[in-house]
Amino acid sequence: MGKRSVIPFGPQHPVLPEPIHIDLVIEDEKVVEAIPSVGFIHRGLESLVDKRDYNQMTYVVERTCGICSFQHGMGYCEAMEHVFGVDVPARAKYLRTIWAELGRMHSHLLWLGLLADGFGYENLFYQCWRVREKVLDMQEMTSGGRLIFSVNKVGGVIKDIEKEKLDIILKTMDEVEEELTVIKDTFLLDYSVQSRLQGVGIVTKEQAHDLGCAGPFARASGIRTDMRKLGYAAYPDLDFEPIISATGDSYARCYCRIMEIFQSIDLIRQAIGKIPNETDLFTPVKGNPDGEYFMRVEQPRGEAVYYVKASGKQYLDRFRVRTPTFANLPGLCEMLKNTQLSDVGLLVLTIDPCISCTER
Amino acid sequence: MANVKRSPWLLHYDGSSCNGCDIEVLASLTPVYDAERFGVINTGDPMQADIFLITGGVNTQNAKTVKQLYDQMPRPKVVVAVGVCACTGGVFKDCYNILGGADTVIPVDIYVPGCAARPQAIIDGIVQAVELFEKRSKEHDEKVRSQKKGSEVA
Ligand code: SF4
């Protein structure tokens, strides 16, 4: 047995733009234990419910996380719509689906880039981000914002995507698909990348299940979980299957996310093909909310849960969000055990951590 | 921007931002926007950094970290606050855990507005920071020179 020592990882670390602090207990070069400490980014936005009314909260909730901002807004609005008992117009549902999938694409591309940077392929990192800019351009064209676009509203959406713009999206999707097919091969077939990812950081199906992992992290370990199958927005009308992989190592997680980008492209195509022609974009809600609801949404990183509770006042009693990274942290700490110190940076990346969601 | 002689290094720290501004900072460093053409380069080490980009407000937990990072940077240094959160606290200003913008703990020189701040605005902030850094370096050099002279005379 070697001598034990503790190496701090973060809060400011080159691999991750976000602050998380992990104390790594190591023995020689091997990690025996990983102890996370959080709170560097805690804002307490859930407490804003007593200062902002339920409509204003939409914009606060969107700022839980800048990467999956649209989906946060959507989850909150869907929950509020259930509380009010209103039906959202079909076109708004499809628009939400399109924006949500664009968000998933840009999030996964961002992650792929960071992963490439993590194993030292700087050019690949730039390639991924170059493709990502195309997706961001689509978001900007349709909503006006690159990342945070505030198009959700309790009852529907506030902006329409016109026919011409839908055509541009379709054209861009073709381009992205073509470029991604080239990039994909480097991630999945390159010898050095394989040796860096395969067999590293294995989480078995049982472990993933017991630790309550979510999203691509769980799917890479072979768990069929995808909240989109629960049928919110326009997902019930679209045809897709959750992408799973059995091995549960870093490579599997990379594979799942890449394939999900292709899936998103396909979903956007389907949604644009089926989008109904309506002029109504939202159902007006009247009065104050009363009741509670529990909404589950599949975000790029996994299942997010929104809980709202209202008692007939303009201000909500309680708002709570449980984000996917929060569910994945126990899995991460388990995974870090018995790995090499030099792999830690990359392994932390493979769960696609979003700390600002986690700590809100 | 004319006659800038130095290539300052950038340090980016995420205070308590929502990530929106962070990834825009990263995006402005990638080739599409390419802030690196102004001679800056991103580094992870505060001891080698000249310009400190901070996104997000300051909360009770990270105030110490922000202060520490700032102190570790060699003089002269320039601080850029990116996004309304870092400027004033932004949407989270009323949250119980937020102390305020970055200037509650460290002196901020340049404020970049926006939520999320656009890469163009961030690049504008970086360019101003580079100029300011050049100016401060000159003053710093002069000070060192005059001190040296002073000690020689003595
Ligand atoms: S300014 Fe807006 S985008 Fe930037 S960190 Fe704050 S809330 Fe997020």
Side-chain angles (χ1 to χ4, degrees), chain A residues 67-151:
Chain A
I67 304 179
C68 29
S69 128
F70 177 81
Q71 304 218 17
H72 276 299
M74 177 173 80
Y76 170 77
C77 287
E78 296 247 350
M80 286 309 289
E81 283 146 15
H82 280 100
V83 170
F84 276 109
V86 292
D87 253 344
V88 180
R91 190 174 174 93
K93 286 189 176 168
Y94 274 85
L95 292 176
R96 278 185 179 170
T97 311
I98 294 171
W99 272 313
E101 290 307 319
L102 282 175
R104 191 180 316 277
M105 284 172 71
H106 104 73
S107 169
H108 281 352
L109 280 165
L110 176 142
W111 176 82
L112 278 177
L114 289 182
L115 181 79
D117 194 37
F119 54 61
Y121 279 42
E122 197 159 351
N123 193 306
L124 193 57
F125 164 53
Y126 287 149
Q127 293 295 339
C128 294
W129 281 57
R130 187 176 53 80
V131 179
R132 176 176 168 266
E133 283 297 328
K134 293 197 171 169
V135 183
L136 288 189
D137 284 346
M138 291 304 103
Q139 300 190 348
E140 189 174 358
M141 175 188 76
T142 51
S143 70
R146 275 166 55 89
L147 294 168
I148 300 197
F149 30 104
S150 305
V151 282

XYZ file of all heavy atoms in Angstrom, chain A residues 67-151:
692
model
N -27.018 26.835 -20.805
C -26.870 25.890 -21.910
C -28.221 25.284 -22.266
O -28.593 25.218 -23.418
C -25.850 24.790 -21.558
C -24.517 25.430 -21.179
C -25.667 23.863 -22.729
C -23.459 24.439 -20.787
N -28.951 24.826 -21.245
C -30.249 24.226 -21.561
C -31.350 25.190 -21.128
O -32.387 24.765 -20.622
C -30.400 22.871 -20.924
S -29.508 22.657 -19.405
N -31.105 26.467 -21.329
C -32.028 27.489 -20.862
C -33.441 27.323 -21.401
O -34.423 27.447 -20.665
C -31.442 28.843 -21.230
O -32.340 29.620 -21.907
N -33.560 26.983 -22.682
C -34.907 26.857 -23.237
C -35.687 25.747 -22.545
O -36.857 25.896 -22.208
C -34.859 26.586 -24.747
C -36.221 26.391 -25.319
C -37.009 27.483 -25.626
C -36.763 25.132 -25.476
C -38.290 27.321 -26.106
C -38.046 24.958 -25.959
C -38.807 26.055 -26.268
N -34.995 24.627 -22.312
C -35.705 23.489 -21.728
C -36.116 23.754 -20.289
O -37.123 23.237 -19.817
C -34.827 22.248 -21.796
C -34.387 21.974 -23.200
C -34.368 20.510 -23.514
O -34.962 19.708 -22.809
N -33.684 20.151 -24.571
N -35.321 24.566 -19.588
C -35.725 24.939 -18.227
C -37.022 25.734 -18.284
O -37.960 25.459 -17.547
C -34.642 25.778 -17.559
C -33.557 24.963 -16.937
N -33.796 24.072 -15.920
C -32.233 24.909 -17.175
C -32.653 23.497 -15.572
N -31.692 23.982 -16.312
N -37.034 26.716 -19.187
C -38.235 27.532 -19.320
C -39.425 26.678 -19.703
O -40.528 26.830 -19.175
N -39.184 25.735 -20.612
C -40.268 24.889 -21.081
C -40.798 24.008 -19.945
O -42.018 23.893 -19.765
C -39.770 24.014 -22.230
C -40.792 23.040 -22.741
S -40.220 22.201 -24.210
C -39.175 20.969 -23.509
N -39.906 23.425 -19.172
C -40.343 22.563 -18.065
C -41.200 23.337 -17.086
O -42.260 22.865 -16.651
N -40.754 24.532 -16.763
C -41.510 25.361 -15.815
C -42.879 25.718 -16.397
O -43.906 25.601 -15.713
C -40.706 26.613 -15.481
C -41.478 27.639 -14.705
C -41.698 27.472 -13.346
C -41.989 28.762 -15.335
C -42.419 28.413 -12.633
C -42.707 29.701 -14.634
C -42.922 29.518 -13.284
O -43.646 30.444 -12.594
N -42.893 26.138 -17.658
C -44.164 26.551 -18.261
C -45.127 25.374 -18.361
O -46.318 25.525 -18.108
C -43.930 27.153 -19.637
S -43.198 28.770 -19.541
N -44.600 24.197 -18.737
C -45.494 23.033 -18.830
C -46.104 22.732 -17.461
O -47.285 22.396 -17.353
C -44.722 21.813 -19.343
C -44.207 21.996 -20.760
C -44.882 21.057 -21.758
O -45.598 20.151 -21.316
O -44.691 21.268 -22.964
N -45.284 22.850 -16.420
C -45.805 22.595 -15.082
C -46.901 23.598 -14.741
O -47.978 23.234 -14.247
C -44.674 22.663 -14.055
N -46.658 24.868 -15.045
C -47.652 25.902 -14.735
C -48.922 25.709 -15.556
O -50.030 25.944 -15.084
C -47.081 27.297 -15.013
C -46.081 27.783 -14.018
S -46.624 27.654 -12.327
C -47.853 28.923 -12.280
N -48.745 25.246 -16.807
C -49.927 25.020 -17.643
C -50.795 23.916 -17.055
O -52.022 23.967 -17.145
C -49.503 24.672 -19.075
C -49.067 25.897 -19.843
C -47.964 25.622 -20.829
O -47.717 24.444 -21.128
O -47.342 26.594 -21.297
N -50.154 22.911 -16.458
C -50.945 21.863 -15.812
C -51.671 22.408 -14.598
O -52.794 22.011 -14.315
C -50.060 20.681 -15.430
C -49.776 19.774 -16.592
N -48.603 19.815 -17.289
C -50.544 18.842 -17.190
C -48.649 18.929 -18.276
N -49.819 18.322 -18.227
N -51.008 23.300 -13.866
C -51.662 23.888 -12.706
C -52.893 24.680 -13.144
O -53.967 24.592 -12.550
C -50.685 24.793 -11.927
C -51.416 25.587 -10.862
C -49.586 23.968 -11.293
N -52.740 25.439 -14.227
C -53.865 26.232 -14.726
C -54.888 25.379 -15.470
O -56.007 25.814 -15.712
C -53.354 27.322 -15.689
C -52.883 28.557 -14.995
C -51.539 28.873 -14.937
C -53.791 29.415 -14.394
C -51.102 30.019 -14.292
C -53.361 30.566 -13.759
C -52.015 30.864 -13.705
N -54.441 24.201 -15.893
C -55.325 23.339 -16.658
C -55.625 23.856 -18.049
O -56.725 23.672 -18.569
N -54.649 24.504 -18.691
C -54.885 24.990 -20.055
C -54.185 24.077 -21.063
O -53.209 23.405 -20.745
C -54.369 26.433 -20.274
C -55.182 27.410 -19.487
C -52.895 26.539 -19.952
N -54.727 24.066 -22.260
C -54.125 23.304 -23.336
C -53.309 24.237 -24.205
O -53.762 25.314 -24.571
C -55.238 22.676 -24.187
C -55.312 21.186 -23.931
O -54.332 20.667 -23.361
O -56.329 20.567 -24.277
N -52.120 23.792 -24.548
C -51.272 24.621 -25.391
C -51.611 24.342 -26.853
O -51.822 23.183 -27.217
C -49.797 24.287 -25.100
C -48.879 25.123 -25.947
C -49.509 24.483 -23.639
N -51.702 25.363 -27.715
C -51.966 25.121 -29.136
C -50.922 24.189 -29.739
O -49.751 24.226 -29.347
C -51.877 26.511 -29.762
C -52.085 27.461 -28.657
C -51.601 26.803 -27.413
N -51.371 23.380 -30.691
C -50.479 22.350 -31.241
C -49.227 22.944 -31.866
O -48.129 22.408 -31.722
C -51.236 21.522 -32.269
N -49.374 24.077 -32.537
C -48.191 24.647 -33.190
C -47.132 25.036 -32.159
O -45.939 24.828 -32.373
C -48.580 25.857 -34.044
C -47.423 26.327 -34.927
C -47.817 27.411 -35.885
N -46.660 27.918 -36.582
C -46.236 27.474 -37.768
N -46.870 26.513 -38.371
N -45.167 27.994 -38.339
N -47.597 25.579 -31.049
C -46.650 25.960 -29.997
C -45.901 24.738 -29.493
O -44.702 24.793 -29.222
C -47.390 26.639 -28.856
N -46.604 23.611 -29.394
C -45.940 22.392 -28.926
C -44.826 21.980 -29.881
O -43.743 21.599 -29.459
C -46.947 21.256 -28.830
C -47.877 21.378 -27.649
C -48.692 20.126 -27.495
C -49.555 20.216 -26.256
N -50.557 19.162 -26.200
N -45.127 22.073 -31.177
C -44.103 21.703 -32.155
C -42.943 22.676 -32.124
O -41.781 22.280 -32.230
C -44.715 21.645 -33.564
C -45.338 20.308 -33.848
C -46.636 20.032 -33.460
C -44.608 19.322 -34.477
C -47.198 18.799 -33.694
C -45.169 18.083 -34.717
C -46.463 17.824 -34.337
O -47.003 16.602 -34.565
N -43.267 23.971 -31.960
C -42.181 24.953 -31.905
C -41.283 24.671 -30.712
O -40.057 24.719 -30.812
C -42.759 26.371 -31.815
C -43.486 26.868 -33.062
C -44.089 28.232 -32.813
C -42.533 26.923 -34.239
N -41.919 24.335 -29.591
C -41.129 24.008 -28.401
C -40.219 22.819 -28.670
O -39.055 22.810 -28.271
C -42.057 23.664 -27.238
C -42.571 24.885 -26.530
C -43.372 24.490 -25.325
N -43.850 25.679 -24.633
C -44.730 25.654 -23.654
N -45.227 24.508 -23.246
N -45.104 26.762 -23.059
N -40.758 21.824 -29.368
C -39.948 20.646 -29.668
C -38.741 21.025 -30.518
O -37.625 20.573 -30.263
C -40.794 19.604 -30.401
O -42.011 19.432 -29.686
C -40.078 18.292 -30.516
N -38.983 21.863 -31.514
C -37.876 22.236 -32.405
C -36.795 22.981 -31.619
O -35.608 22.665 -31.700
C -38.396 23.117 -33.566
C -39.322 22.288 -34.449
C -37.244 23.677 -34.378
C -40.059 23.081 -35.488
N -37.219 23.938 -30.798
C -36.226 24.691 -30.020
C -35.506 23.780 -29.029
O -34.302 23.898 -28.825
C -36.904 25.852 -29.290
C -36.983 27.096 -30.103
C -35.967 27.654 -30.831
C -38.123 27.950 -30.287
N -36.409 28.804 -31.448
C -37.722 29.017 -31.131
C -39.420 27.926 -29.805
C -38.577 30.042 -31.498
C -40.271 28.954 -30.186
C -39.868 29.989 -31.027
N -36.273 22.875 -28.414
C -35.651 21.990 -27.430
C -34.591 21.122 -28.098
O -33.499 20.932 -27.555
C -36.706 21.108 -26.767
N -34.879 20.636 -29.293
C -33.909 19.764 -29.949
C -32.710 20.556 -30.458
O -31.588 20.064 -30.441
C -34.557 18.980 -31.089
C -35.543 17.912 -30.610
C -34.953 16.964 -29.580
O -33.793 16.549 -29.724
O -35.652 16.642 -28.606
N -32.945 21.803 -30.887
C -31.797 22.640 -31.261
C -30.898 22.817 -30.040
O -29.676 22.751 -30.134
C -32.270 24.008 -31.765
C -32.813 24.083 -33.188
C -33.347 25.479 -33.459
C -31.728 23.746 -34.193
N -31.536 23.021 -28.886
C -30.772 23.191 -27.650
C -29.970 21.947 -27.331
O -28.821 22.022 -26.928
N -30.588 20.788 -27.527
C -29.866 19.543 -27.242
C -28.660 19.417 -28.163
O -27.575 19.033 -27.732
C -30.809 18.352 -27.432
C -30.252 17.042 -26.904
C -31.219 15.904 -27.123
N -32.586 16.267 -26.799
C -33.089 16.241 -25.568
N -32.337 15.833 -24.586
N -34.329 16.601 -25.351
N -28.861 19.780 -29.431
C -27.734 19.668 -30.364
C -26.581 20.559 -29.941
O -25.428 20.134 -29.919
C -28.184 20.077 -31.765
C -29.005 19.047 -32.466
S -29.654 19.708 -33.975
C -28.172 19.798 -34.952
N -26.909 21.796 -29.579
C -25.787 22.694 -29.272
C -25.116 22.293 -27.978
O -23.908 22.380 -27.838
C -26.218 24.166 -29.336
C -26.429 24.855 -28.035
N -25.384 25.215 -27.239
C -27.541 25.252 -27.400
C -25.859 25.815 -26.164
N -27.164 25.833 -26.232
N -25.903 21.751 -27.054
C -25.313 21.300 -25.804
C -24.380 20.113 -26.024
O -23.272 20.067 -25.487
C -26.423 20.922 -24.827
O -25.890 20.265 -23.733
N -24.827 19.144 -26.819
C -23.987 17.965 -27.059
C -22.736 18.326 -27.865
O -21.657 17.787 -27.624
C -24.782 16.891 -27.798
C -25.691 16.102 -26.878
N -25.660 16.241 -25.517
C -26.633 15.166 -27.138
C -26.553 15.432 -24.975
N -27.167 14.764 -25.940
N -22.901 19.264 -28.820
C -21.728 19.651 -29.609
C -20.711 20.362 -28.728
O -19.503 20.166 -28.859
C -22.146 20.557 -30.764
C -22.731 19.819 -31.965
C -23.431 20.777 -32.888
C -21.622 19.096 -32.716
N -21.224 21.177 -27.821
C -20.357 21.867 -26.872
C -19.581 20.843 -26.050
O -18.375 20.930 -25.878
C -21.247 22.713 -25.964
C -20.660 23.479 -24.804
C -21.404 24.785 -24.728
C -20.831 22.792 -23.489
N -20.313 19.817 -25.599
C -19.670 18.789 -24.783
C -18.621 18.040 -25.584
O -17.534 17.771 -25.095
C -20.729 17.827 -24.238
C -20.114 16.712 -23.484
C -19.706 16.748 -22.187
C -19.783 15.413 -23.974
N -19.155 15.547 -21.855
C -19.195 14.713 -22.924
C -19.944 14.775 -25.205
C -18.754 13.398 -23.050
C -19.495 13.469 -25.338
C -18.912 12.796 -24.275
N -18.956 17.687 -26.835
C -17.991 16.960 -27.663
C -16.713 17.770 -27.801
O -15.609 17.243 -27.734
C -18.578 16.700 -29.048
C -19.517 15.510 -29.182
C -20.055 15.444 -30.593
C -18.796 14.231 -28.849
N -16.880 19.085 -27.985
C -15.722 19.949 -28.108
C -14.878 19.918 -26.841
O -13.668 19.742 -26.893
N -15.539 20.042 -25.692
C -14.793 20.036 -24.435
C -14.093 18.694 -24.238
O -12.975 18.630 -23.745
C -15.730 20.301 -23.259
C -16.285 21.713 -23.144
C -17.160 21.822 -21.915
C -15.175 22.734 -23.062
N -14.762 17.614 -24.650
C -14.154 16.293 -24.515
C -12.899 16.219 -25.375
O -11.850 15.768 -24.915
C -15.150 15.208 -24.941
C -14.629 13.789 -24.811
C -14.701 13.336 -23.367
C -15.385 12.822 -25.695
N -13.012 16.705 -26.621
C -11.863 16.674 -27.514
C -10.716 17.474 -26.914
O -9.567 17.053 -26.936
C -12.245 17.237 -28.878
N -11.044 18.613 -26.329
C -10.021 19.419 -25.677
C -9.439 18.650 -24.494
O -8.244 18.690 -24.242
C -10.652 20.735 -25.208
C -9.604 21.746 -24.832
O -8.568 21.782 -25.517
O -9.818 22.489 -23.864
N -10.308 17.910 -23.802
C -9.872 17.132 -22.641
C -8.843 16.082 -23.002
O -7.903 15.853 -22.259
N -9.014 15.413 -24.155
C -7.964 14.443 -24.509
C -6.937 15.008 -25.482
O -6.183 14.279 -26.096
C -8.518 13.075 -24.946
C -9.528 13.061 -26.055
C -9.236 13.526 -27.322
C -10.780 12.524 -25.821
C -10.168 13.463 -28.341
C -11.716 12.461 -26.843
C -11.417 12.934 -28.098
N -6.936 16.337 -25.588
C -5.814 16.973 -26.270
C -5.948 17.149 -27.765
O -4.962 17.387 -28.441
N -7.153 17.033 -28.305
C -7.336 17.259 -29.736
C -7.900 18.653 -29.943
O -9.105 18.836 -30.047
C -8.316 16.235 -30.316
C -7.711 14.892 -30.623
C -6.818 14.304 -29.746
C -8.055 14.205 -31.771
C -6.279 13.070 -30.016
C -7.510 12.963 -32.050
C -6.625 12.398 -31.175
O -6.096 11.183 -31.440
N -7.035 19.630 -30.002
C -7.533 20.993 -30.015
C -8.275 21.318 -31.306
O -9.296 21.989 -31.309
C -6.382 21.976 -29.812
C -6.913 23.328 -29.418
C -5.881 24.177 -28.717
O -4.808 23.659 -28.385
O -6.150 25.352 -28.520
N -7.752 20.793 -32.396
C -8.405 21.075 -33.670
C -9.824 20.519 -33.700
O -10.758 21.169 -34.166
C -7.569 20.453 -34.786
C -7.994 20.965 -36.123
O -9.161 20.882 -36.459
N -7.065 21.516 -36.884
N -9.979 19.334 -33.149
C -11.296 18.705 -33.112
C -12.255 19.545 -32.265
O -13.437 19.703 -32.594
C -11.148 17.299 -32.528
C -12.320 16.341 -32.654
C -12.684 16.182 -34.104
C -11.966 15.005 -32.055
N -11.723 20.081 -31.173
C -12.494 20.979 -30.315
C -13.026 22.149 -31.133
O -14.222 22.454 -31.118
C -11.566 21.439 -29.183
C -12.003 22.651 -28.399
C -13.255 22.712 -27.824
C -11.126 23.715 -28.205
C -13.638 23.820 -27.076
C -11.504 24.820 -27.468
C -12.763 24.875 -26.905
N -12.145 22.757 -31.923
C -12.584 23.894 -32.727
C -13.600 23.465 -33.788
O -14.538 24.194 -34.085
C -11.378 24.562 -33.390
C -10.519 25.341 -32.416
C -9.154 25.475 -32.609
C -11.085 25.928 -31.306
C -8.371 26.188 -31.714
C -10.312 26.645 -30.408
C -8.959 26.771 -30.617
O -8.202 27.477 -29.741
N -13.388 22.275 -34.353
C -14.339 21.810 -35.369
C -15.742 21.671 -34.779
O -16.728 22.089 -35.372
C -13.904 20.443 -35.919
C -12.634 20.452 -36.717
C -12.766 21.257 -37.982
O -13.854 21.500 -38.465
N -11.646 21.695 -38.521
N -15.818 21.073 -33.578
C -17.125 20.874 -32.955
C -17.796 22.217 -32.692
O -18.981 22.397 -32.938
C -16.990 20.132 -31.642
S -16.422 18.475 -31.846
N -17.002 23.159 -32.207
C -17.584 24.468 -31.890
C -17.946 25.238 -33.145
O -18.839 26.073 -33.125
C -16.634 25.260 -30.988
C -16.739 24.801 -29.577
C -16.537 23.527 -29.137
C -17.129 25.564 -28.439
N -16.760 23.479 -27.788
C -17.119 24.708 -27.335
C -17.461 26.894 -28.253
C -17.445 25.132 -26.058
C -17.780 27.325 -26.965
C -17.769 26.449 -25.882
N -17.257 24.932 -34.231
C -17.601 25.595 -35.487
C -18.972 25.102 -35.955
O -19.834 25.891 -36.346
C -16.540 25.287 -36.543
C -16.715 26.048 -37.830
C -15.559 25.756 -38.766
N -15.371 24.316 -38.944
C -16.108 23.576 -39.762
N -17.036 24.124 -40.482
N -15.892 22.276 -39.865
N -19.173 23.797 -35.849
C -20.475 23.253 -36.236
C -21.562 23.778 -35.292
O -22.670 24.102 -35.704
C -20.437 21.708 -36.203
C -21.787 21.136 -36.581
C -19.373 21.184 -37.134
N -21.213 23.894 -34.024
C -22.172 24.371 -33.031
C -22.653 25.777 -33.357
O -23.808 26.106 -33.131
C -21.499 24.333 -31.656
C -22.331 24.896 -30.551
C -21.635 24.730 -29.229
N -22.301 25.516 -28.213
C -21.951 26.747 -27.870
N -20.900 27.300 -28.429
N -22.621 27.397 -26.963
N -21.750 26.594 -33.902
C -22.153 27.960 -34.235
C -23.304 27.977 -35.233
O -24.136 28.868 -35.209
C -20.974 28.741 -34.816
C -19.969 29.223 -33.783
C -20.544 30.214 -32.785
O -21.440 30.979 -33.154
O -20.096 30.193 -31.627
N -23.356 26.968 -36.105
C -24.462 26.912 -37.067
C -25.783 26.721 -36.338
O -26.797 27.308 -36.700
C -24.250 25.753 -38.034
C -23.076 25.961 -38.918
C -23.102 25.046 -40.105
C -22.005 25.492 -41.043
N -21.744 24.571 -42.099
N -25.744 25.860 -35.315
C -26.970 25.633 -34.544
C -27.347 26.912 -33.798
O -28.511 27.307 -33.755
C -26.770 24.469 -33.556
C -28.051 24.188 -32.810
C -26.312 23.223 -34.284
N -26.331 27.579 -33.248
C -26.609 28.828 -32.537
C -27.191 29.875 -33.486
O -28.070 30.639 -33.100
C -25.331 29.374 -31.890
C -24.802 28.614 -30.690
C -23.690 29.387 -30.032
C -25.889 28.339 -29.683
N -26.700 29.881 -34.731
C -27.254 30.826 -35.698
C -28.741 30.572 -35.898
O -29.523 31.517 -36.038
C -26.530 30.699 -37.039
C -25.155 31.347 -36.992
O -24.911 32.091 -36.022
O -24.346 31.107 -37.896
N -29.116 29.293 -35.909
C -30.539 28.968 -36.062
C -31.331 29.484 -34.872
O -32.418 30.020 -35.008
C -30.731 27.455 -36.166
C -30.217 26.831 -37.423
S -30.926 27.596 -38.870
C -29.586 28.606 -39.424
N -30.768 29.334 -33.685
C -31.466 29.818 -32.497
C -31.604 31.329 -32.550
O -32.638 31.889 -32.215
C -30.699 29.421 -31.239
C -30.549 27.932 -31.094
C -30.009 27.543 -29.736
O -29.545 28.373 -28.986
N -30.057 26.277 -29.429
N -30.545 31.982 -33.005
C -30.577 33.430 -33.060
C -31.570 33.906 -34.115
O -32.341 34.833 -33.887
C -29.176 33.963 -33.358
C -29.101 35.470 -33.224
C -27.693 35.989 -33.368
O -26.775 35.177 -33.544
O -27.525 37.212 -33.327
N -31.587 33.208 -35.244
C -32.486 33.611 -36.321
C -33.954 33.476 -35.884
O -34.787 34.312 -36.201
C -32.219 32.729 -37.539
C -33.158 32.962 -38.699
S -32.912 31.735 -39.968
C -33.720 30.323 -39.263
N -34.255 32.404 -35.141
C -35.649 32.166 -34.806
C -36.114 32.926 -33.579
O -37.293 33.187 -33.422
C -35.894 30.666 -34.562
O -34.917 30.203 -33.639
C -35.795 29.889 -35.837
N -35.174 33.257 -32.673
C -35.640 33.854 -31.423
C -35.004 35.189 -31.107
O -35.549 35.970 -30.337
C -35.349 32.895 -30.274
O -33.965 32.852 -30.075
N -33.850 35.453 -31.671
C -33.190 36.712 -31.385
C -32.074 36.587 -30.373
O -31.262 37.485 -30.250
N -32.043 35.497 -29.635
C -30.976 35.323 -28.653
C -30.128 34.133 -29.027
O -30.618 33.175 -29.608
N -28.855 34.184 -28.695
C -28.001 33.054 -29.031
C -28.190 31.911 -28.037
O -28.221 30.750 -28.420
C -26.536 33.484 -29.026
C -26.087 34.097 -30.325
C -24.773 34.792 -30.140
N -23.751 33.913 -29.579
C -22.955 33.157 -30.328
N -23.059 33.149 -31.614
N -22.027 32.408 -29.759
N -28.259 32.231 -26.772
C -28.345 31.166 -25.786
C -29.627 31.238 -24.973
O -30.303 30.254 -24.751
C -27.158 31.238 -24.828
C -25.823 30.966 -25.478
C -24.711 31.334 -24.548
C -25.729 29.514 -25.857
N -29.925 32.449 -24.501
C -31.102 32.601 -23.662
C -32.135 33.308 -24.491
O -31.945 34.457 -24.862
C -30.735 33.411 -22.422
C -29.655 32.640 -21.684
C -31.945 33.699 -21.574
C -29.424 33.010 -20.293
N -33.220 32.600 -24.873
C -34.063 33.297 -25.819
C -35.474 33.609 -25.372
O -36.233 34.173 -26.120
C -34.025 32.730 -27.221
C -33.756 31.265 -27.371
C -34.757 30.392 -27.672
C -32.474 30.796 -27.246
C -34.484 29.040 -27.848
C -32.208 29.451 -27.421
C -33.207 28.577 -27.726
N -35.815 33.261 -24.174
C -37.061 33.769 -23.607
C -38.240 33.777 -24.564
O -38.879 34.798 -24.741
C -36.855 35.191 -23.090
O -35.795 35.220 -22.203
N -38.518 32.656 -25.198
C -39.679 32.614 -26.077
C -40.840 31.886 -25.414
O -41.937 31.872 -25.930
C -39.361 31.936 -27.420
C -38.623 32.874 -28.326
C -38.585 30.674 -27.219
